[in-house]
Amino acid sequence: MRAEPHTRNSDSFGRLRFSDTVERTIARMTAPPVQRRATDAEIAGVLDEAGRLFPVAPLEAVLRMRERNPGIVRMIEGLGAGTEPGMLAFLPLSAQGAELLIQGRLDGKNPQPEWIVAEGEVPTAIYIWMAWTPGKLARTLPGMAQIFSSLSPDGCPLFSRATTEHSVKIHTTMGFESASRIYPGAPEWLLVVLPEGQMAPVRKEMRAEAPKIEVRPVRSFEDMAMIFAVRSSTYISEQFCLYSEEFDGNDFCATHLIGFIDGDPAGCIRLRYFGDFVKVERLAVRREYRRSRLAFKLVREALALARQKGFRRFYGHARLDLVPFWGMFGFREMPDRGPFKFADVEYREMELDGEANANPIGIGVDPMVTIRPEGAWNVPGPLELSNLRPSRAAFFQDMKTVSRVAH
């Protein structure tokens, strides 16, 4: 589970300019919380409880938006003994959604899927839809920091709405300011925190087109050559490990996924299979692409591929500074297992017990599925297509006939 050397901005929320109070609060925490996706039952429970105190979106609207982007509602756990987890719901806005929000025309009770980006896409802006953290806001801040900094590593405006005077005071202490001071015509209730260096309003016509990210399994020597190039420029060049340490003899007995940004090979990840678990390792993204969403897409695609094979347990080694990154996917440090070291770097053992795929590949499926190309099990493969051509025996018989006629 080694990942590329980590480059980070000065504050905990990526480039967002939160107040020093927020940063000091996070710095004091020795055991940061972890966050994960919320279940339908958890969402329904929080909406029912919160709806008794202030207006909330109906469950149907939340579930509809989750169909567009499954990661928009997160539970934040590890807030202390006997403390219930908090919940954060947010809208990663598309250019259209951001424009509607700034104009005051985004209906939070009935949002539309086209107002947000799909999972893995970089949003134009982020709107805090609901934060349910009664009595424990400070403890949830590190979890929120993980979420917001991962959604847009380059930074984008973060909008919120204060519904009470107490909420206004909390937002102001955190560093939010009135959006109307920056975006003329924005509603008075809209608050915003901007990334460092950004002062101009974000408008649809000003937003650069998001890079195209593609991830697929490796199936050729050319793909492997690109994998080796990415890992050489990452681990050997930046972490100064030896060639024999990076290329450890396991590359040709593993599954690799390669990632492209606008067609350029930019990242990779490796899977190896052991009994009832999969080891996730050798995640690497080239330095110039590290502010993209590629690392997140590589991990998600790798886990999905392994789950399709029937695996639900995952294991890996994470650098200390990257433990929170892997926590975003549900990985946890293994209890009673201390740190260990190799290639001059200290690691932690991580594990993930996830849900099995609803329809994994196993004995009893269509026999043709198991001979399709890796990761393309829903598409007919070359051996199935062989049934559509004339048989080779018939072909050679025809050739013999042609030969006799010619003579």
Side-chain angles (χ1 to χ4, degrees), residues 215-281:
V215 172
R216 59 174 170 79
V218 166
R219 300 196 185 100
S220 69
F221 286 112
E222 182 180 7
D223 286 347
M224 284 304 301
M226 290 187 280
I227 291 279
F228 293 157
V230 169
R231 280 169 40 191
S232 294
S233 67
T234 301
Y235 293 119
I236 295 180
S237 177
E238 296 184 48
Q239 288 190 180
F240 309 112
C241 67
L242 300 178
Y243 178 90
S244 60
E245 294 169 349
E246 176 54 35
F247 300 103
D248 56 354
N250 288 316
D251 283 317
F252 290 99
C253 55
T255 297
H256 300 260
L257 283 80
I258 185 167
F260 299 86
I261 294 184
D262 290 335
D264 192 29
C268 57
I269 195 170
R270 186 173 83 179
L271 301 174
R272 288 194 294 137
Y273 309 97
F274 297 84
D276 67 342
F277 73 92
V278 176
K279 187 170 186 294
V280 184
E281 55 192 15

Side-chain angles (χ1 to χ4, degrees), residues 7 12 22 31 69 75 186-187 200 213 219 236-237 248 263-264 279 282 319 336 345 349 354 357-358 369 397:
T7 57
S12 302
V22 171
N69 188 323
M75 303 303 293
I213 299 178
R219 300 196 185 100
I236 295 180
S237 177
D248 56 354
D264 192 29
K279 187 170 186 294
R282 292 304 196 271
R319 283 204 333 252
D336 304 321
V345 178
E349 289 182 276
N357 190 286
V369 171
Q397 183 61 43

Side-chain angles (χ1 to χ4, degrees), residues 54-67:
F54 51 82
V56 297
L59 178 61
E60 298 75 26
V62 178
L63 298 181
R64 181 178 67 243
M65 299 300 281
R66 287 179 79 215
E67 290 181 5

